[in-house]
């Protein structure tokens, strides 16, 4: 498993500054006083290579040994392009050939009592020796420290997530509950991580889950296999059926929308929802579960297994097919870079995307538009724009398409 988002190849100056600031914040959380992340006197807890450097940090690589450092780089994320894979290979080679001091000049030495550090907490909780690698992600409201946990021999055995604020703590708790529920749901078409540990440390929410074997050889993923896995999730907690405006989902969505109605983009979204209700409110839909963020970077297809991770947005009682629409949209944004065009193209494919879920033809466009509403409400609730997220301003891509398509129903 690799629950890490792969960042764009190039960082803006603003994002680099935010990452540098975030690096300082993360070190303060994981190594609070009396630990010292400035290399002061005392017992050495960890030494990290900063990749690629302290001004544009992406990854803290534990330098305990060459095998551990190489494995931390090799398995911390899934590169989404050939260039990203080549860069990762070059970093691994630098570590393995002991030329890392020439390539990565920035290092962080953490000293102090191990018992006060995240290393000590996790080692005690899991009852094993380990090294910690830390991912420094791009600006997002739901950004949180993601830790790769490695054995002394360099094997990645788990990933940890640390909830630091109200939103990320809620998401970490939600993913913990989701993984517990999925472990007994009888899934047959996909593989999900198992919870190794969940708890609180120094006021932070902690989740440690097994590492799915994403490093094994990949197999081509057919649309049929992907759809079958999504249908498996859709039915894992049972189904309900009923008119849209009488459903529990609708009432929950309207409550979430009301909570953000006063924000700059909330009024336009609310107007679109009212039109959608007037046109399609009596449409009968089926409701089930969804992953909530099923994107190409949250999955890996092997010959005998489809691995899926990042379950913090899992929910039940949503219109069937949301996962298919979400995956299509995220894939198109990733490959084209044109978010607004991706929304248009995704809605146009609603018939094809939703047919495997048994969604009636009359309800397919409505379902796709409901998904866009749900995603927009999520962005506003999480304050993605204020956090500096790349697509945080909905008025530049999602809302214009949503409003126009609803008006044309």
């Amino acid at each position: 498993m690799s629950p890490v988002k792969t960042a764009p190849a190039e960082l803006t100056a603003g994002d680099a500054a935010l990452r540098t600031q975030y690096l300082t914040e993360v070190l303060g959380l994981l190594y609070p006083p009396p630990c010292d992340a400035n290399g002061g006197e005392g017992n050495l807890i960890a030494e990290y290579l900063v990749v690629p450097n302290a001004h544009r940090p992406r990854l803290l690589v534990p330098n305990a040994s060459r095998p551990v450092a190489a494995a931390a780089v090799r398995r911390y994320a899934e590169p989404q392009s050939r260039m990203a894979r080549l860069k990762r290979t070059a970093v691994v080679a630098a570590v393995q050939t002991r030329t890392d001091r020439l390539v990565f000049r920035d290092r962080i030495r953490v000293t102090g009592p191990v018992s006060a550090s995240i290393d000590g907490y996790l080692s005690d909780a899991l009852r094993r020796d380990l090294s910690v690698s830390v991912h420094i992600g791009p600006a997002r409201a739901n950004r949180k420290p993601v830790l790769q946990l490695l054995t002394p021999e360099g094997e990645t055995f788990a990933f940890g997530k640390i909830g630091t604020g109200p939103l990320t703590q809620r998401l970490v708790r939600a993913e913990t509950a989701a993984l517990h529920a999925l472990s007994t749901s009888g899934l047959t078409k996909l593989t999900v991580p198992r919870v190794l540990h969940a708890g609180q440390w120094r006021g932070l929410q902690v989740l440690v889950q097994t590492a799915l074997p994403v490093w094994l050889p990949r197999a081509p993923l057919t649309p049929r296999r992907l759809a079958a896995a999504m249908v498996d999730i859709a039915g894992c907690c049972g189904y309900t059926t009923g008119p849209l405006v009488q459903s529990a989902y609708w009432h929950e969505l309207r409550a979430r929308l009301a909570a953000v109605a006063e924000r700059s983009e909330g009024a336009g979204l609310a107007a679109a929802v009212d039109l959608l209700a007037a046109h399609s409110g009596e449409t009968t839909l089926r409701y089930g579960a969804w992953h909530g963020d099923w994107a190409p970077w949250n999955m890996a297809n092997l010959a005998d297994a489809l691995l899926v991770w990042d379950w913090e947005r899992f929910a039940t009682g949503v219109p069937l097919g949301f996962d298919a629409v979400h995956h299509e949209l995220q894939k198109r944004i990733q490959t084209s870079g044109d978010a607004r065009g991706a929304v248009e193209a995704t809605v146009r494919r609603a018939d094809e995307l939703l047919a495997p879920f048994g969604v009636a033809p009359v309800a397919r466009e409505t379902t796709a538009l409901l998904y866009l509403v749900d995603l927009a409400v999520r962005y506003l609730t999480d304050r993605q724009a204020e956090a500096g997220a790349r697509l945080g301003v909905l008025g530049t891509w999602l809302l214009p398409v949503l409003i126009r398509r609803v008006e044309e129903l």
Side-chain angles (χ1 to χ4, degrees):
M1 172 205 165
S2 177
V4 174
K5 307 295 188 215
T6 301
E10 299 297 330
L11 296 176
T12 65
D15 187 61
L18 288 172
R19 282 177 185 256
T20 302
Q21 176 184 341
Y22 184 57
L23 171 60
T24 302
E25 295 173 2
V26 167
L27 289 171
L29 290 169
L30 303 183
Y31 300 104
C35 298
D36 184 357
N38 296 310
E41 297 295 326
N43 176 65
L44 179 65
I45 299 174
E47 180 181 88
Y48 290 109
L49 308 177
V50 185
V51 178
N53 56 58
H55 298 291
R56 303 167 76 85
R58 292 175 183 266
L59 182 68
L60 301 185
V61 178
N63 204 26
S65 70
R66 299 294 164 178
V68 168
V73 175
R74 187 182 297 113
R75 294 179 178 172
Y76 98 96
E78 285 300 292
Q80 297 297 308
S81 68
R82 181 174 179 273
M83 181 58 67
R85 288 192 292 273
L86 291 173
K87 288 181 178 180
R88 183 183 67 176
T89 299
V91 173
V92 172
V95 171
Q96 290 178 323
T97 58
R98 298 179 178 272
T99 59
D100 55 271
R101 285 193 175 274
L102 299 176
V103 179
F104 307 111
R105 298 181 181 274
D106 295 322
R107 299 179 178 233
I108 294 172
R109 295 182 75 255
V110 183
T111 58
V114 175
S115 59
S117 70
I118 191 64
D119 304 56
Y121 169 75
L122 293 174
S123 182
D124 289 345
L126 300 173
R127 299 182 180 181
R128 62 188 303 172
D129 293 333
L130 53 84
S131 292
V132 176
S133 180
V134 185
H135 175 249
I136 307 299
R140 293 181 298 145
N142 52 316
R143 177 168 61 177
K144 67 188 77 65
V146 175
L147 313 179
Q148 180 187 178
L149 307 185
L150 303 106
T151 69
E153 296 73 35
E155 291 298 318
T156 300
F157 71 91
F159 283 89
K161 292 185 177 182
I162 312 294
T164 59
L167 171 60
T168 57
Q169 289 199 12
R170 174 172 61 81
L171 291 174
V172 171
R173 286 193 298 268
E175 184 162 17
T176 302
L179 293 179
H180 280 308
L182 292 169
S183 68
T184 58
S185 63
L187 297 174
T188 61
K189 304 297 184 182
L190 69 162
T191 302
V192 304
R194 293 181 295 103
V195 174
L196 293 178
H197 170 74
Q200 288 195 331
W201 175 68
R202 301 182 66 90
L204 308 177
Q205 196 71 33
V206 180
L207 168 63
V208 180
Q209 52 194 286
T210 55
L212 297 178
V214 298
W215 48 84
L216 295 179
R218 301 298 176 84
L221 176 61
T222 64
R224 183 174 181 178
R225 186 175 195 183
L226 178 60
M230 291 179 173
V231 171
D232 202 18
I233 286 296
C236 72
C237 297
Y239 297 106
T240 58
T241 303
L244 172 60
V245 294
Q246 296 179 29
S247 67
Y249 169 77
W250 179 255
H251 293 295
E252 186 267 346
L253 179 64
R254 293 305 297 252
R256 290 165 52 208
L257 179 59
V260 299
E262 298 303 316
R263 298 187 192 167
S264 59
E265 296 169 312
L269 183 59
V273 169
D274 288 340
L275 281 176
L276 188 60
H279 182 274
S280 305
E282 297 305 318
T283 301
T284 297
L285 302 175
R286 292 184 75 204
Y287 308 88
W290 75 314
H291 173 281
D293 191 16
W294 200 320
W297 49 85
N298 287 334
M299 58 185 288
N301 189 53
L302 312 182
D304 60 351
L306 178 60
L307 315 177
V308 184
W309 54 88
D310 251 357
W311 292 89
E312 62 191 29
R313 301 287 188 174
F314 175 79
T316 59
V318 307
L320 294 191
F322 269 19
D323 272 329
V325 183
H326 183 84
H327 182 273
E328 178 74 9
L329 176 61
Q330 300 306 315
K331 181 179 66 175
R332 287 182 176 275
I333 291 174
Q334 180 190 43
T335 55
S336 71
D338 177 9
R340 186 165 177 167
V343 176
E344 288 275 14
T346 297
V347 175
R348 286 197 298 268
R349 287 201 67 206
D351 275 343
E352 183 179 351
L353 293 170
L354 297 174
F357 296 84
V359 178
V362 70
R364 290 174 187 171
E365 185 174 0
T366 295
T367 298
L369 296 175
L370 277 171
Y371 158 76
L372 294 179
V373 171
D374 200 292
L375 185 65
V377 172
R378 177 190 298 182
Y379 269 63
L380 293 177
T381 302
D382 293 354
R383 296 182 179 273
Q384 293 286 3
E386 292 92 326
R390 185 170 64 91
L391 296 177
V393 181
L394 299 174
T396 64
W397 63 288
L398 189 152
L399 278 182
V401 180
L402 171 63
I403 292 171
R404 181 178 58 76
R405 296 298 295 237
V406 169
E407 290 175 345
E408 292 174 352
L409 284 173

